[in-house]
């Protein structure tokens, strides 16, 4: 009897052990779920995934299991510390500003691609790419010089640095020249060596010097305090350009002389840049596409009225310009295009070997040269009377189809220096004009005239003769074609006036 009771107690104790094990497994599973969801947990309630997956394990077997020592330092961490997530690649650090080397690589890479970033070979030529690069750099650095003030230091530094990059191309444009060299045995022999092309060797340093002179001229206005600028009136034609203001009695005599000296210096820079640009454009070849589009003769290009005026026995350029319509920029450019077309036609006929043309036998070679000189004189007057004109069709065509890299750099560099010099000259003229109005001086406008710019002196002998003729009632004789100064003589005149040299000291 007693024995049966003991067996029943043992049987009940075993069942209670089973229920207790099932209850502990359920409780441990709930603890694992709460811990996974971020809820609070204690070290005694935490189980590994292997323990949670088998909640019905016999508790006697669990008590017999011995703890396994951790195999590494990371496994010795406290049970409450969760395992760190897998390492991720470090985030890219933000790049700093591009270095000079990076900027130079990018600029020359675009030049090599010919402005075709797709790399499909549809880009422009290297010459045109360099010309556009110089023009765009000048536009971003200078823009429109609205005031007489120094350039910003960072803009000035960027201009000097990047223009040197583009001009460095000319260091590798060379030509072979003979040179004498002494051999080891003492004998002299003549060999060919490379040297920078002659036109680049002469003009690139000159243009860099003119560039520096313009920047120095702008720097000279840093400390001036006698004139200032105000916003231009809205009814002004150039309302976006500020208007200079001077004291009520005008500028002082010292400032007026100093301003005149600055004007003379900028005029010398303008003369030299114009001469170099005109010479380079003359040396550029005329594209075949431009020649194919020309009319058959000069009369067809100019029209009967203008052709008759230019080919007349007596020719006065001022009378000719008064007889044509110059009321708008478009009409002036159109006149310039027609005259340039006629000049090209006449030059080609004079250089033709067979001399078969529509001029007829009555027109001699000397007559053609005189007519060509007249046309070039008109072009010269238009260039200086309207210096802000856009480029003509001939100039655009030459620049677009030019393949000479040296000519491209010289033309674009001299063109931007010419443009900046004329802008600075105009700003100086504006101040001098306002000063003249403030002083109430009875003098003419300070704007530069063609005669002043070219340095021509009035012909006093002819003036006296004209005065005597008028006193006697006789009309002065008209100007003949042989007295007209041509573009070639103008370039020689600029050279005589030290147009290709730096201005000498005047005070």
């Amino acid at each position: 009897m007693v024995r049966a009771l003991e067996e029943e107690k043992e049987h009940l104790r075993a069942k209670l052990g089973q229920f207790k094990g099932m209850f502990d497994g359920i409780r441990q599973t709930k603890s694992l779920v709460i811990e996974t969801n971020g809820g609070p947990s204690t070290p005694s309630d935490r189980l590994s995934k292997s323990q949670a997956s088998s909640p019905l394990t016999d508790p006697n077997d669990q008590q017999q299991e011995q703890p396994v020592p951790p195999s590494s330092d990371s496994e010795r961490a406290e049970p409450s510390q969760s395992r760190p997530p897998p390492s991720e690649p470090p985030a890219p650090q933000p790049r700093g500003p591009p270095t000079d080397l990076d900027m130079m690589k990018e600029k020359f890479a675009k030049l090599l691609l010919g402005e075709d970033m797709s790399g499909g070979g549809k880009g422009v030529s290297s010459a045109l790419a360099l010309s556009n690069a110089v023009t765009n750099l000048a536009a971003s650095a200078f823009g429109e010089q609205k005031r007489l003030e120094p350039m910003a230091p960072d803009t000035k530094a960027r201009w000097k640095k990047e223009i040197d990059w583009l001009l460095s191309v000319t260091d590798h444009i060379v030509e072979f020249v003979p040179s004498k060299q002494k051999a080891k045995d003492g004998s002299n022999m003549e060999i060919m060596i490379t040297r920078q092309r002659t036109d680049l060797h002469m003009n690139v340093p000159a243009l860099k010097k003119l560039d520096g002179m313009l920047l120095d001229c702008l720097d000279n206005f840093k400390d001036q305090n006698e004139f200032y600028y105000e916003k231009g009136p809205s009814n002004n034609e150039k309302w976006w350009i500020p208007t200079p203001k001077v004291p009520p009695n005008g500028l002082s005599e010292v400032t007026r002389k100093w301003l005149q000296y600055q004007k003379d210096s900028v005029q010398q820079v303008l003369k030299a840049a114009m001469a170099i640009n005109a010479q380079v454009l003359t040396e550029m070849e005329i594209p075949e596409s431009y020649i194919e589009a020309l009319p058959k003769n000069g009369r067809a290009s100019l029209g009967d009225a203008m052709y008759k005026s230019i080919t007349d026995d007596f020719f006065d350029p001022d009378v000719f310009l008064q007889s044509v319509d110059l009321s708008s920029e478009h009409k002036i450019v159109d006149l310039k295009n027609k005259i340039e077309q006629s000049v090209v036609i006449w030059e080609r006929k004079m250089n033709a070997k067979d001399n078969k043309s529509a001029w007829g036998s009555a027109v001699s070679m000397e007559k053609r040269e005189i007519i060509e000189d007249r046309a070039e004189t008109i072009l010269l007057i238009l260039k200086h009377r309207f210096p802000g004109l856009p480029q003509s069709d001939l100039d655009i065509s030459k620049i677009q189809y030019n393949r000479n890299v040296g000519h491209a750099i010289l033309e674009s560099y001299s063109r931007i220096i010419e443009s900046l010099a004329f802008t600075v000259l105009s700003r100086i003229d504006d101040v001098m004009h306002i000063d003249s109005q403030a002083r109430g001086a009875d003098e003419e406008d300070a704007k530069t005239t063609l005669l002043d710019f070219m340095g021509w002196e009035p012909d006093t002998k002819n003036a006296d003769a004209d005065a005597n003729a008028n006193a006697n009632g006789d009309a002065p004789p008209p100007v003949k074609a042989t007295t007209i100064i041509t573009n070639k003589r103008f370039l020689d005149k600029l050279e005589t006036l030290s147009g290709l040299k730096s201005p000498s000291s005047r005070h």
Side-chain angles (χ1 to χ4, degrees):
M1 183 82 179
V2 174
R3 191 172 186 180
L5 290 173
E6 290 179 356
E7 288 179 358
E8 187 176 356
K9 287 181 180 180
E10 289 292 335
H11 181 65
L12 292 173
R13 193 179 290 116
K15 285 187 176 182
L16 288 173
Q18 277 187 337
F19 284 122
K20 184 179 180 181
M22 291 175 62
F23 179 75
D24 291 341
I26 293 172
R27 185 179 62 182
Q28 292 164 358
T29 304
K30 289 182 178 180
S31 175
L32 180 62
V33 172
I34 294 173
E35 184 180 357
T36 305
N37 294 334
S41 62
T42 60
S44 61
D45 295 332
R46 292 180 183 171
L47 291 174
S48 64
K49 292 183 179 180
S50 61
Q51 291 174 335
S53 63
S54 57
L56 301 179
T57 307
D58 192 352
N60 296 328
D61 297 337
Q62 291 181 1
Q63 293 175 0
Q64 294 176 1
E65 291 180 358
Q66 299 295 329
V68 180
S71 59
S72 62
D73 295 339
S74 61
E75 295 178 0
R76 295 195 191 107
E78 296 181 4
S80 61
Q81 296 179 357
S82 60
R83 189 181 299 273
S87 60
E88 298 180 357
Q93 297 294 331
R95 295 185 61 184
T99 61
D100 290 350
L101 182 60
D102 295 336
M103 295 171 60
M104 185 171 63
K105 286 180 179 179
E106 180 182 0
K107 185 172 289 292
F108 279 97
K110 292 180 179 179
L111 290 176
L112 288 174
L113 290 173
E115 301 176 358
D116 177 22
M117 306 309 293
S118 67
K122 299 179 181 179
V124 300
S125 64
S126 299
L128 183 57
L130 271 170
S131 177
N132 293 340
V134 174
T135 304
N136 295 336
L137 174 61
S140 63
F142 299 110
E144 184 173 359
Q145 195 71 27
K146 300 179 181 179
R147 303 168 183 262
L148 292 174
E149 60 184 5
M151 291 179 61
D154 54 342
T155 306
K156 184 177 180 180
R158 182 172 66 89
W159 161 255
K160 289 185 175 181
K161 176 177 60 180
E162 296 192 17
I163 195 64
D164 284 342
W165 292 349
L166 298 175
L167 293 178
S168 64
V169 178
T170 60
D171 297 336
H172 304 278
I173 302 177
V174 296
E175 60 185 358
F176 283 103
V177 293
S179 176
K180 292 184 179 181
Q181 187 175 3
K182 182 174 289 187
K184 293 182 179 180
D185 57 358
S187 60
N188 293 326
M189 58 180 179
E190 191 174 78
I191 61 173
M192 300 297 291
I193 62 173
T194 57
R195 185 185 64 186
Q196 189 179 25
R197 212 170 73 186
T198 304
D199 58 338
L200 299 175
H201 180 72
M202 293 176 57
N203 292 324
V204 170
L207 289 173
K208 292 182 71 173
K209 188 172 183 179
L210 297 175
D211 184 2
M213 291 172 61
L214 277 180
L215 298 182
D216 292 341
C217 178
L218 291 175
D219 290 340
N220 292 336
F221 289 93
K222 177 181 180 181
D223 298 326
Q224 75 80 25
N225 53 9
E226 286 202 31
F227 63 89
Y228 58 96
Y229 289 90
E230 290 183 352
K231 185 178 180 181
S234 57
N235 58 353
N236 192 5
E237 182 180 358
K238 297 183 178 180
W239 55 267
W240 64 91
I241 299 178
T243 304
K245 298 294 183 181
V246 298
N249 296 328
L251 301 174
S252 63
E253 189 67 23
V254 176
T255 303
R256 194 176 300 114
K257 289 183 178 180
W258 175 80
L259 201 61
Q260 182 64 43
Y261 173 76
Q262 301 299 325
K263 179 179 177 180
D264 294 340
S265 300
V266 177
Q267 275 185 329
Q268 294 293 332
V269 174
L270 181 59
K271 289 179 183 179
M274 289 178 64
I276 294 176
N277 186 263
Q279 184 64 31
V280 174
L281 284 173
T282 303
E283 294 176 357
M284 285 185 179
E285 295 183 1
I286 302 177
E288 289 296 329
S289 59
Y290 181 85
I291 296 176
E292 292 174 358
L294 289 175
K296 294 182 179 180
N297 50 53
R299 181 189 292 270
S301 175
L302 291 173
D304 293 337
M306 285 192 292
Y307 178 79
K308 182 178 180 181
S309 178
I310 291 180
T311 58
D312 195 10
D313 292 337
F314 302 106
F315 173 71
D316 187 347
D318 290 330
V319 174
F320 173 82
L321 292 176
Q322 291 174 3
S323 64
V324 295
D325 186 4
L326 302 177
S327 57
S328 66
E329 182 181 276
H330 174 73
K331 294 179 179 180
I332 300 173
V333 175
D334 183 61
L335 173 62
K336 186 177 179 181
N337 289 331
K338 290 180 179 180
I339 295 178
E340 284 184 342
Q341 289 177 0
S342 303
V343 171
V344 173
I345 293 172
W346 295 330
E347 285 180 347
R348 287 180 60 81
K349 288 183 177 181
M350 285 191 295
N351 296 330
K353 295 181 180 179
D354 53 359
N355 199 22
K356 295 179 180 179
S357 64
W359 283 74
S361 57
V363 181
S364 62
M365 189 70 68
E366 292 77 10
K367 180 68 174 180
R368 293 182 186 178
E369 291 181 356
I370 292 175
I371 297 175
E372 181 188 348
D373 286 350
R374 294 176 177 179
E376 289 180 346
T377 302
I378 296 173
L379 291 175
L380 178 62
I381 296 176
L382 289 176
K383 182 178 180 62
H384 293 286
R385 186 175 294 182
F386 308 100
L389 286 178
Q391 292 174 320
S392 63
D393 292 343
L394 178 60
D395 294 342
I396 294 175
S397 181
K398 284 184 175 182
I399 295 171
Q400 181 179 359
Y401 293 96
N402 171 54
R403 295 296 182 269
N404 191 314
V405 176
H407 285 166
I409 294 179
L410 289 179
E411 191 280 328
S412 57
Y413 196 22
S414 60
R415 171 163 38 86
I416 62 175
I417 292 178
E418 175 186 339
S419 177
L420 179 61
F422 182 79
T423 302
V424 175
L425 191 63
S426 299
R427 301 294 172 263
I428 295 176
D429 282 338
D430 292 340
V431 176
M432 298 180 71
H433 180 63
I434 296 297
D435 172 61
S436 175
Q437 291 181 343
R439 291 185 295 110
D442 186 13
E443 57 187 38
E444 296 181 356
D445 190 4
K447 298 293 183 181
T448 306
T449 63
L450 179 64
L451 294 179
D452 295 335
F453 181 83
M454 298 178 65
W456 289 346
E457 297 294 338
D459 192 350
T460 56
K461 294 182 179 179
N462 293 338
D464 295 340
D466 294 344
N468 295 332
N470 291 333
N472 297 330
D474 300 330
V479 181
K480 294 187 178 181
T482 54
T483 63
I484 300 300
I485 298 182
T486 64
N487 192 18
K488 301 181 182 63
R489 298 174 191 171
F490 165 64
L491 293 177
D492 296 338
K493 184 69 175 178
L494 285 177
E495 207 168 76
T496 306
L497 293 171
S498 302
L500 301 178
K501 304 177 183 177
S502 59
S504 57
S505 177
R506 294 176 178 266
H507 299 286

